[in-house]
Structure formats: C-alpha cells, structure tokens
Amino acid sequence: MGAAPVWSVDPRTGKPREQVAVEATADEVDRAVRAADAARPALADRTARAALLRTAADLLDEARDHVIEAADAETALGPVRLTGELARTTAQLRAFADVVDEGAFLDIRIDHEDAGRTPPWPDLRRWKIPLGVVAVYSASNFPLAFSVPGGDTASTLAAGCPVVVKAHPDHPATSELCASLLRRAARQTGLPEDVVVLVHGFDAGVELVRHPLVAAAGFTGSVRGGRALFDAAAARPTPIPFHGELGSLNPVVITEGAAAERAEAIGTGLAGSMTLGEGQFCTKPGFVLAPAGDAGDRLVKSLTAAVSETEPGVMLDHRMRDAFVAGVGERAALDGVEAPVTPGAGGEHTVSAGFLTVPAGRLAADGPHDLLLEECFGPVTVVARYETPDEIEAVLSRLPGNLTATLHTAAADDPAAAGLVAALTPLAGRILVNGWPTGVAVAPAQHHGGPYPATTSTSTSVGATAIERWLRPVTYQSAPPALLPPELRDDNPLGLPRRVDGRPEGLEG
C-alpha cells in the first residue's frame, strides 16, 4: 500500500481541490528530524538567523497574492482577514529578528569571584542556549500566523533551533507554499534549507513528538489532540517540554453599572467579537455573565439584533461544522436554556451564528449544565444571567483556565470592579477591561497563554518572550576566558546587554 495522499479541500463545497503531498512515513519523519538536526550548527550565527527571519518576511510579502489566494481556497477565511493575518505574520518575523539583534533574550548574567562573601562566591557566568530541534504543530484557524511561518516557527528560529512543522490537514497547500518560501529564505541567507522542514499526516505528528532528537514541541489545537501529544511528550524516555495551546472559554463579566450605562454598545460589541471569523478565534468570548433585570434585558436585546444580522458562514472544514451543529444542539436542549438567536446549520456547507441564555444559578453546582462551561468552537456564546454578586463568584469558581478574561465596568467608579479583577486574574493569562479579547497584539508585553487547559505551560506563544520556550540556561563556573563563549567574556566583544555583579553592565560598582 502506498503512502496516503494529502488533499487540499475546499471548505465551501467539501470537495477535494488537488493532491499536494503524501503523509510522511516513520522513516521520512526520522530523515526530516535528522536533516533539521544537522542544520543546528549553522543557526548559531545570530546575524545569519536575524537575516533569515527578515528575508522570510520579505519573500512572504512578495508572494502576498499567491499566499492569500491559496489560504482562502483552503480555509474560506476571506482575503480581508487573510491580508491582515499575513501582515501580522511578517511583522512577527521581523520583530523576532530585532529580538535576535538586541540579544537581551540570552539573559546574560556575570557574577565575579568574591572571596569576601560568606560563603565565598566562585566566578559564575550564565546565559541561555537553544534546546535543539523543535516540533511545531500548525493551527487550523490561523493558516499563517499560527502555522508554518507563524509565531512558533519565528520564535524557534530566533532562538537558534531548527524546526520541523507538522502541517494542518485543513491547509496543506498553503503550508507547502509557505515552507518553500522559508526554505528559500534560508538558502538566500547562506543557511541550510533544512532549518525548516515540513511533514504531513496524523501518524507523522505522533512520530515527531516521540523522536529522540526532538527537544521541544509547540502546539495549537484541540484539548483532545493536544493532551494526547502532551502525554506522549511526557512519556518519552527523555521527556521534553510541550508548549500546547488547547482550548479556552474566555469568560466575560458585565457589571450592573456597565449594563446600565451602555447595554446596547456592549451587546453590539459582544456580537462582533463572538462571530468574528465564524467564531473560530481561540480568544472568542464563549461565556458571558450578564445581570438579570432591565439593563441586562437591553443588552440581550442588542445582542439579539446584532447576531440576527450576521450572515451564515463557512467554517474551516465540514468536520468542525458538524461538531458545531451537534454541540449547540446538545447545549440548547438543556433544561432552562433559551436561544434568542438559534445557532446551528445555515445550509449544507454553512453555519448560522446564535447565542444561548441560562440563569447563572443553574451553573453554580455540578450537573448537566457543566457542558455550558466548555468551549464550543464556532459562532456561539452562552449568556448566563446572574441575580446577585454571589452567583458571579460561584460560577467563576467553577471555570477552567483560559487565555483571556474580560471585565466590563461602568466608566465612573464601579464598586464591583476591583473585586472582579481579583477574581478573574487566577483564571487567565490576559485580563481585559472594557474591551473584547479577539485580537492579540504582537507586542513585547503580550501574554498569550493561561492556566490549563488554555495552555500546558506558563509560557506565551505571542510576543517577544515566546522565544524563552526554546532556550535553557547554562552557567560556567570558574572557567578561564579562553574556554568561555564570546558572549560571556569580560570585554563583551559583541556588545550585548548583560548584568554584571547584579547590575546592568556599565552601572556596576
């Protein structure tokens, strides 16, 4: 039997478009990883890898029309959305090139020998080095920014680690195109093209996380798939770090004061956020605590009007469409749940956005309504109507970990605000006030992660500090200068930012 074909499928019709590859066998995964590992020494040159990242961004920009056309054909996300996603992707690559040039990510610390201390200190010099080959698992919902040329790949290469990417089956042609551009960028900057290698297939993904030369993994996807790979990474003879983004409900709490002040604006904003990209953002607000009473009723009325105007849309594939239809049907059938706008099938290939409401008291204890506290991927949210602050507290205490948590407060002093921020902070990696969580700025202070099951580690996959996932610290003790890497020598020949004897270099003494 030959290798299984990998087809590009049109989600608008469910029909195959073209065969773009075949699934990798175990031997082919082995060769891919070994090829990437052989490219490791070349990435030690920080100047070369910064040039690689910038060249990759340039090539993606030059191929913009082709890349967007390929991605839209496989995802139905549309040229406008994909144009923005490509801009974000190339900005990420250039941002990590700047991180490499600056060198602060190496976290260099030098403590000179001090015999006068009790006990005395030896000479200690610490920095961070790359882990090795990294396996990256592409996301379905971001065919560019969280896939082959995305943030995991950019931060991995910036750290000095080669990458083997497991393509997502929803956009294999886009993956092949982007991988070819990254490999061309490597050639143009004098690096081996195998600093980036692409493989396809479910079994290939399992083989990849088990390969002895793979030193770490990054994943964006479902709780079920991510947890299986996380467990496989931990079960290896030598376990490896597995940085997985798995699932998130992204709760929103709306205070009485906020609803009284701007119920209509909040309802409209919620509709826009929960239907954006057909509700397929990992930061979609999937659960909302809104007050009962007149102000809450106005909010629900506004939400109803805005969601009702949303046209049926195409999800990333028919499997996700079917799961969405089944999931919202099961939730809507629960006792006490109402559907002001019924979510579900919009046609043979589409879905219709909607939302459900439920009294918050139904969620305060274990029971069948726990299903409403689980993510449902697609254009739906659950609005739980609370009667008292105690009901908010009871429901929040039962929520799993999240990427984001949002609070809407009154513009003037809102007596509930401080306590609610304190209650939301343990639940998520990013806390928003009077905003919406869809949209993750690629900025140095960004954190895109959160308590399990949002992620399997405390790291971020967005922003400059995402590079820290692929590094480990090493300290040299009492090593003569000739044996030290240049970065750790007293004369600092590379001009890197360092802390010397506890202070930023140049301020010591």
Side-chain angles (χ1 to χ4, degrees):
M1 181 181 294
V6 174
W7 290 89
S8 173
V9 176
D10 183 348
R12 295 177 173 94
T13 65
K15 295 180 179 180
R17 298 175 58 248
E18 60 178 335
Q19 182 182 339
V20 298
V22 295
E23 294 187 359
T25 65
D27 286 345
E28 288 167 340
V29 171
D30 178 63
R31 287 196 293 272
V33 174
R34 293 186 184 281
D37 187 63
R40 285 176 63 188
L43 282 175
D45 184 339
R46 286 193 304 117
T47 300
R49 64 186 195 251
L52 164 63
L53 293 165
R54 292 192 176 98
T55 302
D58 291 343
L59 292 178
L60 284 162
D61 280 340
E62 290 171 11
R64 177 186 296 107
D65 291 345
H66 192 189
V67 170
I68 291 171
E69 181 183 10
D72 181 49
E74 294 187 304
T75 66
L77 289 172
V80 174
R81 149 71 193 273
L82 290 167
T83 297
E85 186 178 335
L86 179 60
R88 168 190 172 146
T89 302
T90 56
Q92 281 181 155
L93 289 161
R94 294 185 177 103
F96 277 110
D98 293 342
V99 168
V100 174
D101 284 341
E102 181 195 28
F105 74 97
L106 296 169
D107 194 22
I108 299 172
R109 298 167 184 266
I110 296 173
D111 292 320
H112 289 104
E113 181 180 4
D114 187 348
R117 288 183 176 268
T118 304
W121 280 8
D123 186 270
L124 298 168
R125 296 166 189 249
R126 181 186 190 270
W127 70 329
K128 292 181 178 178
I129 64 172
L131 290 174
V133 177
V134 172
V136 167
Y137 295 81
S138 294
S140 62
N141 55 341
F142 281 85
L144 304 173
F146 282 85
S147 293
V148 174
D152 281 352
T153 295
S155 58
T156 294
L157 294 172
C161 298
V163 60
V164 180
V165 183
K166 206 288 284 185
H168 196 280
D170 278 353
H171 37 78
T174 308
S175 299
E176 286 284 343
L177 173 58
C178 291
S180 71
L181 293 171
L182 265 61
R183 288 167 68 84
R184 188 194 309 172
R187 292 195 300 272
Q188 290 186 7
T189 51
L191 290 167
E193 63 182 12
D194 287 335
V195 296
V196 177
V197 186
L198 182 69
V199 297
H200 297 266
F202 175 84
D203 291 341
V206 176
E207 292 289 339
L208 192 56
V209 80
R210 292 174 175 167
H211 197 286
L213 291 179
V214 168
F219 171 91
T220 303
S222 69
V223 173
R224 181 179 178 184
R227 183 55 193 258
L229 290 171
F230 174 76
D231 291 346
R236 292 168 38 132
T238 302
I240 59 170
F242 184 90
H243 300 286
E245 179 190 320
L246 310 187
S248 185
L249 197 60
N250 303 304
V252 177
V253 178
I254 301 165
T255 68
E256 292 267 10
E261 182 179 89
R262 57 184 195 283
E264 289 75 16
I266 292 173
T268 302
L270 173 58
S273 186
M274 49 99 28
T275 61
L276 185 66
E278 303 306 327
Q280 296 173 119
F281 277 58
C282 52
T283 51
K284 179 200 75 175
F287 181 79
V288 181
L289 279 160
D294 292 343
D297 289 345
R298 288 193 290 115
L299 190 156
V300 170
K301 182 179 179 181
S302 172
L303 178 61
T304 299
V307 174
S308 296
E309 294 175 358
T310 304
E311 294 293 328
V314 177
M315 293 189 69
L316 293 161
D317 62 36
H318 280 58
R319 176 184 57 82
M320 293 182 189
R321 175 194 174 277
D322 293 345
F324 170 76
V325 172
V328 295
E330 187 177 1
R331 288 164 172 79
L334 292 170
D335 187 39
V337 173
E338 297 181 358
V341 182
T342 303
E348 184 180 0
H349 306 293
T350 60
V351 296
S352 292
F355 71 99
L356 308 175
T357 63
V358 66
R362 297 266 188 174
L363 304 170
D366 291 343
H369 290 80
D370 285 356
L371 183 62
L372 300 174
L373 303 181
E374 297 178 11
E375 180 185 15
C376 185
F377 193 70
V380 66
T381 195
V382 173
V383 179
R385 306 289 299 275
Y386 65 86
E387 299 280 353
T388 66
D390 287 345
E391 285 190 344
I392 300 177
E393 182 180 350
V395 174
L396 291 182
S397 70
R398 305 193 64 243
L399 294 186
N402 294 274
L403 294 170
T404 73
T406 299
L407 175 65
H408 279 269
T409 71
D413 289 342
D414 193 326
L420 287 170
V421 167
L424 291 172
T425 297
L427 295 178
R430 179 163 59 108
I431 310 299
L432 297 93
V433 178
N434 293 339
W436 297 106
T438 38
V440 185
V442 182
Q446 186 59 272
H447 186 83
H448 188 63
Y452 185 87
T455 52
T456 60
S457 71
T458 59
S459 301
T460 179
S461 60
V462 179
T465 54
I467 195 173
E468 295 172 0
R469 297 174 294 170
W470 322 120
L471 301 164
R472 70 175 181 88
V474 174
T475 293
Y476 295 86
Q477 179 172 326
S478 303
L483 298 182
L484 289 170
E487 291 85 350
L488 299 183
R489 295 174 189 166
D490 280 339
D491 58 352
N492 194 7
L494 302 179
L496 293 167
R498 313 189 304 184
R499 294 188 70 87
V500 176
D501 295 327
R503 300 187 181 188
E505 193 162 29
L507 299 179
E508 64 271 32

